[in-house]
Amino acid sequence: MLRILTLALAMALGTLPALAQTGPLRIEIDDGVIEPLPFAIPGFVAENAAATEYAQNIARVVAADLAGTGLFREIPAEAHIGQVTSFDSPVQYADWKAINAQALVTGAVSLDGNGRLNVKFRLFDVFSEAPLGDGLQFGGPAGSWRRVAHKVADQVYARITGEGGYFDSRVVYVAETGPKDARQKRLAIMDYDGANATYLTDASSIVLAPRFSPTGDRVLYTSYESGFPRIYLLDVATAGRRALDEQPGTMTFAPRFAPDGRQVVFSLSQGGNTDLFTLDLTTGRRTRLTSAPSIETAPSYSPDGRQIVFESDRSGTQQLYVMPATGGEAQRISFGQGRYGTPVWSPRGDMIAFTKQNQGRFHIGVMRTDGSEERLLTASFLDEGPTWAPNGRVVMFTRETAGAQGAPALYSVDITGRNLRRLPVQGAASDPAWSPLLP
């Protein structure tokens, strides 16, 4: 388990003086064009020889995390005038001002005889010539060095943007191999940036739509190993699994956890009709939420657990609806042209992400929870299945290319529609689900 400690710093943060950039160092994130904030991150200081490689690698991951958001721009090391050779040396602000660095991240790494890393860092507002918050120290096994780096980046991101970070998180997804007409699919899990990918299931049966629990230690998914879709619950640490709600003559799919983690909402198809149900994971009690001749699927809870958004063709075309979490009257919230599906409530509670199909193109979009302020973020041959970053700032999704050789890949995009990026995942990948921040 990683730990976080506050360092006693010789230089305490007081009231910040007026800055050359007209205010405290802060990125104000809005819908306009944002000029990335230039930052410098010299290689972290290795406090013993065993930590040398870790010090360089950790600094590189922190820099990649920040630059990857599109909100920050790293000033390359070859442009640096100043050098940081000791964590406790005074900052030579003039050297960093000269290259227009607005933020400076310094750090130091040590590795003890038990194979445990200790990483400490400080963040400085260059133009105010003051630290931005206290220094912090993280510790953990040497094998967890990437997690330590992500935690440092989360702290830097949060202090400058005022929002929570999302780097110390994981993504579960469907890893695909083989030709397009005979794909083998298995569940896999990786760091948010594509590193440390491992498999959770084999390729003996088709698997779809994995979904994390609120604590990130369990995954719901749909499997066809019985020949029909059936929901399974998997333990991430052990890969142990069990089928849920095995009822003869039914098919279950599209599961998602309630915010308390004790209940699951899902679609159940029986006798040609598909409705939404909940299942209590402790008692096994199943409760019907909808009863209609239409297809009701892809449910997602609001963060407070009081409402569910879902897709339905009750109006004649695939649209989005919101209803109380206990069932009852549903209100349609999608009214644009085309079809809407796979809605997912933002962890902030302020938006719903969705897939839209219109005029032969697929889009990932977001809207307010009442359906207003619809914004399309992407457009391609096939974009689908959005999932939210833990801070509600970024959406990840599947993009598939056309043709016989077409293959799915994972992409992410900011909710303003900027910074579209393909994740560096080996092989074809689909159906991502983003975890909460790791403990």
Side-chain angles (χ1 to χ4, degrees):
M1 182 67 66
L2 298 172
R3 69 181 188 277
I4 178 170
L5 303 170
T6 301
L7 290 176
L9 298 180
M11 194 162 42
L13 176 62
T15 302
L16 295 180
L19 304 183
Q21 67 260 34
T22 73
L25 181 63
R26 177 63 61 89
I27 294 177
E28 297 295 340
I29 303 174
D30 57 27
D31 294 347
V33 176
I34 295 174
E35 180 67 27
L37 184 146
F39 73 98
I41 178 167
F44 283 8
V45 176
E47 297 191 320
N48 54 19
T52 301
E53 186 174 353
Y54 291 108
Q56 295 302 313
N57 289 341
I58 288 171
R60 289 298 85 218
V61 170
V62 174
D65 283 347
L66 296 174
T69 66
L71 302 176
F72 300 86
R73 175 178 60 82
E74 184 187 10
I75 298 173
E78 53 267 28
H80 294 184
I81 298 172
Q83 300 295 320
V84 178
T85 57
S86 170
F87 183 68
D88 295 316
S89 296
V91 174
Q92 302 302 312
Y93 288 106
D95 290 343
W96 304 106
K97 287 182 181 179
I99 61 172
N100 199 35
Q102 294 186 36
L104 172 68
V105 183
T106 65
V109 182
S110 62
L111 182 66
D112 66 24
N114 296 318
R116 186 171 183 82
L117 278 175
N118 287 286
V119 180
K120 51 191 177 183
F121 82 96
R122 288 176 175 139
L123 173 63
F124 297 92
D125 183 335
V126 172
F127 285 92
S128 72
E129 299 189 3
L132 194 61
D134 293 333
L136 292 176
Q137 178 171 295
F138 298 92
S144 69
W145 69 268
R146 291 188 66 90
R147 277 206 64 196
V148 175
H150 292 322
K151 282 185 172 289
V152 171
D154 278 333
Q155 287 291 321
V156 174
Y157 178 94
R159 293 181 186 190
I160 297 177
T161 67
E163 298 182 347
Y166 59 88
F167 310 121
D168 186 27
S169 60
R170 294 191 287 183
V171 174
V172 64
Y173 63 101
V174 176
E176 303 189 18
T177 56
K180 194 168 186 177
D181 60 352
R183 286 269 168 80
Q184 291 186 319
K185 300 186 178 186
R186 49 183 168 172
L187 294 189
I189 191 170
M190 64 183 181
D191 295 350
Y192 97 98
D193 57 0
N196 295 326
T198 58
Y199 294 115
L200 298 174
T201 65
D202 60 27
S204 60
S205 59
I206 295 174
V207 291
L208 301 170
R211 302 288 181 255
F212 270 111
S213 67
T215 50
D217 58 345
R218 295 169 295 163
V219 169
L220 290 166
Y221 68 99
T222 303
S223 173
Y224 279 76
E225 67 180 73
S226 67
F228 298 95
R230 183 75 61 200
I231 296 170
Y232 283 79
L233 177 64
L234 180 142
D235 183 280
V236 172
T238 66
R241 65 196 184 93
R242 64 184 176 95
L244 297 182
D245 197 54
E246 293 186 283
Q247 300 291 329
T250 66
M251 295 184 290
T252 55
F253 50 94
R256 199 176 290 271
F257 282 97
D260 63 10
R262 297 194 297 264
Q263 192 164 256
V264 173
V265 63
F266 62 99
S267 289
L268 183 146
S269 182
Q270 185 173 27
N273 197 48
T274 302
D275 279 301
L276 299 181
F277 290 78
T278 58
L279 179 72
D280 187 301
L281 292 175
T282 302
T283 65
R285 180 184 177 187
R286 185 175 69 185
T287 303
R288 178 188 287 268
L289 299 182
T290 64
S291 182
S294 51
I295 297 175
E296 327 277 51
T297 191
S300 174
Y301 280 96
S302 61
D304 62 10
R306 295 180 179 178
Q307 298 179 90
I308 292 173
V309 62
F310 63 100
E311 68 176 73
S312 172
D313 62 357
R314 61 179 63 185
S315 68
T317 61
Q318 196 176 353
Q319 300 294 334
L320 304 184
Y321 295 81
V322 171
M323 69 177 177
T326 54
E329 184 177 357
Q331 300 294 324
R332 180 173 166 177
I333 62 169
S334 59
F335 292 97
Q337 294 184 346
R339 301 177 180 178
Y340 296 76
T342 65
V344 190
W345 219 296
S346 164
R348 297 179 179 181
D350 60 340
M351 287 186 172
I352 291 170
F354 56 87
T355 302
K356 182 173 183 174
Q357 182 183 9
N358 187 38
Q359 296 182 344
R361 301 279 281 173
F362 281 79
H363 310 266
I364 299 298
V366 294
M367 62 172 64
R368 295 296 178 184
T369 60
D370 61 0
S372 63
E373 298 182 34
E374 178 180 321
R375 177 190 300 140
L376 299 182
L377 309 179
T378 74
S380 83
F381 166 74
L382 180 55
D383 287 349
E384 63 179 351
T387 181
W388 289 95
N391 68 349
R393 166 58 49 185
V394 178
V395 173
M396 191 179 296
F397 62 96
T398 303
R399 169 168 287 183
E400 184 159 354
T401 51
Q405 303 304 313
L410 303 185
Y411 281 75
S412 65
V413 66
D414 188 277
I415 58 171
T416 63
R418 297 178 301 104
N419 202 37
L420 178 68
R421 296 166 58 88
R422 179 172 177 170
L423 272 71
V425 181
Q426 185 175 2
S430 62
D431 277 352
W434 216 316
S435 80
L437 284 176
L438 300 177

